[in-house]
């Protein structure tokens, strides 16, 4: 199950992780879990990248993929990669749109950032998940990050969502996402 207007697309022929909406202790959230799987869970948008707007989410990572390390192509897995895809002729098209991935990661240091092993159009920025598998709130500035990483002003935002991938390590991962939104402070 996915929230209304969201779609799922498996990565490179992998099976998609399971997803469901959970109600627990008065909190409603999306749970994504899988072993050796990978998929995009996203929502199309058409937003102008206002300088004062921020991307916010509430998440927890109850199970991170064992052995994941974003610095190594063979272990480049994550329980959750919150993404912002910027405007291209087709969202989820044949050529990847420029996309920022705010990634839970593994053994790499906080603030670690690099171009994806898949394409220079994709950039990974490590965001440390909350400690102990608990809930945490994150606020990031995709407009400033786009300027820093691509060296120009960003086009419209075409979509946001979460990617889970564990196909490199084959490890189990569980990610919970209670909120994901774009807007002014």
């Amino acid at each position: 199950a996915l929230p209304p207007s969201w779609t799922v697309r498996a990565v490179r022929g992998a099976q998609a992780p399971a997803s469901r909406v959970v109600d627990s202790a008065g909190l409603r959230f999306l749970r994504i879990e899988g072993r050796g799987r990978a998929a995009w869970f996203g929502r199309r948008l058409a937003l102008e990248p206002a300088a004062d707007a921020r991307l916010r989410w509430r998440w927890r990572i109850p199970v991170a993929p064992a052995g994941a390390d974003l610095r190594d192509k063979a272990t480049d897995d994550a329980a959750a990669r919150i993404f912002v895809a910027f405007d291209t002729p087709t969202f989820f098209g044949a050529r990847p749109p420029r996309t920022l991935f705010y990634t839970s990661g593994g053994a790499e240091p906080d603030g670690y950032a690099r171009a994806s092993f898949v394409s220079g159009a994709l950039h990974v920025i490590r965001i440390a998940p909350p400690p102990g598998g608990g809930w945490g709130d994150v606020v990031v500035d995709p407009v400033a990050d786009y300027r820093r990483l691509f060296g120009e002003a960003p086009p419209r935002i075409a979509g946001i969502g979460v990617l889970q991938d564990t196909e490199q390590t084959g490890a189990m991962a569980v990610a919970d996402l209670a909120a994901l939104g774009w807007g002014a402070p």
Side-chain angles (χ1 to χ4, degrees):
L2 289 173
S5 73
W6 282 55
T7 58
V8 62
R9 189 186 99 190
V11 173
R12 294 182 304 275
Q15 284 188 317
S19 65
R20 61 189 164 109
V21 176
V22 176
D23 286 302
S24 175
L27 184 63
R28 187 173 170 91
F29 57 90
L30 175 64
R31 169 161 282 178
I32 301 172
E33 56 189 324
R35 177 187 305 276
R37 298 176 177 223
W40 301 77
F41 297 81
R43 179 169 185 220
R44 292 178 193 251
L45 300 171
L47 298 174
E48 292 304 321
D52 66 341
R54 301 293 182 266
L55 181 67
R56 295 172 170 74
W57 68 89
R58 182 170 179 80
W59 69 342
R60 69 179 177 183
I61 308 295
V63 180
D69 189 327
L70 302 175
R71 298 170 291 188
D72 184 349
K73 185 176 182 178
T75 58
D76 182 19
D77 278 346
R81 298 180 193 265
I82 307 301
F83 70 84
V84 179
F86 292 84
D87 207 8
T88 60
T90 59
F91 181 57
F92 291 149
R95 193 177 332 166
R98 283 187 170 174
T99 303
L100 300 176
F101 290 101
Y102 296 97
T103 303
S104 59
E108 58 294 310
D110 289 346
Y112 174 77
R114 65 159 172 79
S116 168
F117 294 115
V118 175
S119 167
L122 312 174
H123 275 266
V124 174
I125 302 166
R126 184 181 191 273
I127 302 288
W135 287 102
D137 297 306
V138 179
V139 178
V140 295
D141 185 350
V143 171
D145 290 335
Y146 188 99
R147 286 180 191 277
R148 178 174 54 86
L149 295 168
F150 293 110
E152 61 189 39
R156 287 186 323 167
I157 294 169
I160 60 173
V162 60
L163 170 76
Q164 184 178 88
D165 64 302
T166 59
E167 78 277 19
Q168 264 48 336
T169 61
M172 182 67 186
V174 178
D176 297 331
L177 186 61
L180 177 63
W182 175 261

